[in-house]
Amino acid sequence: MIGLIGGTGAVGRTAAQRIAAYGLGPLRLGGRDLAGAAHLAGALPGTAHAVRVDLNDPAELAAFCDGCRIVVNCAGPTYQVLDTVARAAFAVGADYVDIGGELAAKDALTGRDVPGDRTAVFSAGVMPGLSGLLPRLLAKGRPLRRLDVYVGGAAVFTPLSAVDALLTRGPRFGVPMTAWRDGQVAPNTLAPLHQVRLPGFPVPVHAWPYLTTEAQTLAVDTGADEVRSYNVFVSNRLPEALAEAWAEVPDTSPAALAPHADAVVRASRQDNADFGAFYVMLFTGRPRPGAPPGPTRVLLTAVDSYALSGVVMALATRAVLAGSVPPGVHLAAEVLDPDATAAALHDDPLVQDLAVE
Ligand SMILES: NC(=O)c1ccc[n+]([C@@H]2O[C@H](COP(=O)([O-])OP(=O)(O)OC[C@H]3O[C@@H](n4cnc5c(N)ncnc54)[C@H](OP(=O)(O)O)[C@@H]3O)[C@@H](O)[C@H]2O)c1
């Protein structure tokens, strides 16, 4: 049994559809709205049924996980959920896949909390997730002189992802205006790029430097001399909405930041109205002189980043069930196979184009 929490959401709906289409096993779909989950269950191929669960209710969560081989969590806000659902999954001997969590969730689980043979994969979406995985295609067998990451577009934020965007602040997540140079974080070395034309992006964009912890791990793992990582927006509305909220709320308390989510959603709606929906992931790599030949650019384009995250969740679930992820607690970018993931994405109808060249 595969237990999927949040299957009626923007990410979860596609995760449920792909898990069912891959034939990975019967699905137990959970959320607070039982009727919504039951409706989804009825529309999926294969066996699926709905069970009410509020992940904040320990008894309901334990009952939901009971009997599952793996629990897949697409509900958020991920930086509040952290290790809550993972612990409930481990308690019944199940493996675990989560749409978010990052280092904060990984670090919340010490070795003692994880049964020896169980596996958890956090941050199995587009960003974090693919943003730290696909650039590895450029660094196979050769260190890079420079690696650039540009990810973004014009997606309407769901209220939950707006809360998560507000919560991803501080050194546990990333450092603005900062590059990675020669083995360390190089603070205040980059500036925003305004109205730039970038390959794959249909309009001039604003690229804001943000060296995520995921990009820092990428730099270490690939041995790149320099990494520049940018969040890309079609206007300055979203960076301004986030900056205004952070100026008003100096701490990272979810309760204090949540009321600002509306302004973030509104800004994303305006961007979407002006530019339509698109999402681009552009990675460029320059090898060191004398390095063996290989690809220098990965470019993925899609319409819907949430649905794309659902595909990544299903691929991570398939990888764990197939035994291709070792026991322990991992982040998707560090443990999924970049080639196998790229091949599956290339064939997925939700990916408009994926070129490794
Ligand atoms: N890593 C990435 O690249 C990436 C990309 C997109 C989104 N995300 C994150 O993924 C999460 C989901 O985003 P979304 O846009 O799919 O949200 P959404 O459309 O609002 O869907 C949320 C889903 O979770 C369920 N849910 C919410 N609270 C719950 C609770 N307390 N207990 C059980 N189920 C609950 C909802 O069902 P009910 O209302 O019926 O409970 C719904 O099915 C967010 O935290 C977002 O930041 C990550």
Side-chain angles (χ1 to χ4, degrees), residues 6 8-11 32-33 53-55 74 99 126-127 158 164 309:
T8 57
V11 172
R32 295 160 303 178
D33 171 11
V53 61
D54 182 337
L55 63 83
C74 297
I99 181 64
V126 288
M127 187 179 203
T158 60
D164 270 335
S309 288

